Amino acid sequence: MPVAANHALAAVGCLLLATTARTVGGPGAATVAPAPSAATRMVQLAACAGTVAFLPYVAMKLVWVSGGTFAGVSGEQMLAVSEHNGASGIWLTLESWGLDGTVLLAALGVFLLWGLVRPWGQVYPRWTPWLRGRRVPRGLLLVPALVGAATLAPYGVLGAGYLALATAGVVTMGQGDFPSPGDALLAGWIGMVAFGVYGFALIAAIRSYGIRTRPVPVA
């Protein structure tokens, strides 16, 4: 079921991309790329919120991969859980080296988020050899951003809604791999807040990037 949902959300993202990528002048119209620009202050504040929201999540993961204990679960137990759940050899190797795969993915996600709101997401900056000064294809940022937003924003909102009901005692929270439902709630809130806030920050950044990079018709 989760796999089917991810495929459906990815399809939605592709449809949104097709809508966003349409040019103002229609097919065949002569257009020019606009000058690189930064997003508005409000959108950049949203990007800051999306970045900060991941900090507790990253801290939790780093505690586990460094061998520490958080929410009643030790790093060794978390590694055993990953193995039991069928994590790939590469994933398990990273964890044995003190690197968590989800932390690396979070770092890439934050990098993508800031690429959408800063000018270097439109023109390759000086620190990119062989590419600097060239235009960044819109789809290079929009495709993964749309898929990420279509997946993470609903996941974070629905997950946070369930956790709110569990916190209020309306529904029962299973403890899963944690020693108690309270520990499961703590870890769950950290994850859902990170995904939800980041997902909505991504939506704001996508809208801004789509407007700022829309080709301008040539008179």
Side-chain angles (χ1 to χ4, degrees), residues 24-127:
V24 177
T31 58
V32 62
S37 61
T40 63
R41 180 177 177 81
M42 288 301 297
V43 175
Q44 293 194 55
L45 287 175
C48 289
T51 302
V52 172
F54 264 124
L55 295 181
Y57 178 82
V58 169
M60 176 178 69
K61 291 288 188 172
L62 291 179
V63 168
W64 281 330
V65 296
S66 63
T69 299
F70 183 82
V73 178
S74 67
E76 185 178 352
Q77 290 173 307
M78 191 55 67
L79 181 59
V81 169
S82 297
E83 292 177 353
H84 180 265
N85 292 338
S88 66
I90 295 177
W91 198 272
L92 295 174
T93 300
L94 287 173
E95 290 193 0
S96 67
W97 291 347
L99 297 172
D100 185 87
T102 56
V103 171
L104 298 178
L105 291 175
L108 287 175
V110 169
F111 182 79
L112 171 63
L113 178 61
W114 284 99
L116 291 167
V117 301
R118 300 301 302 167
W120 55 264
Q122 296 169 254
V123 174
Y124 288 106
R126 290 176 296 177
W127 42 266

Side-chain angles (χ1 to χ4, degrees), residues 103-177:
V103 171
L104 298 178
L105 291 175
L108 287 175
V110 169
F111 182 79
L112 171 63
L113 178 61
W114 284 99
L116 291 167
V117 301
R118 300 301 302 167
W120 55 264
Q122 296 169 254
V123 174
Y124 288 106
R126 290 176 296 177
W127 42 266
T128 53
W130 304 294
L131 292 173
R132 54 180 148 192
R134 298 184 182 182
R135 299 292 305 194
V136 177
R138 296 178 82 209
L140 186 63
L141 274 67
L142 284 176
V143 169
L146 285 166
V147 173
T151 304
L152 295 179
Y155 179 67
V157 170
L158 294 176
Y162 179 82
L163 291 176
L165 293 175
T167 301
V170 178
V171 298
T172 301
M173 179 73 180
Q175 64 188 64
D177 298 311

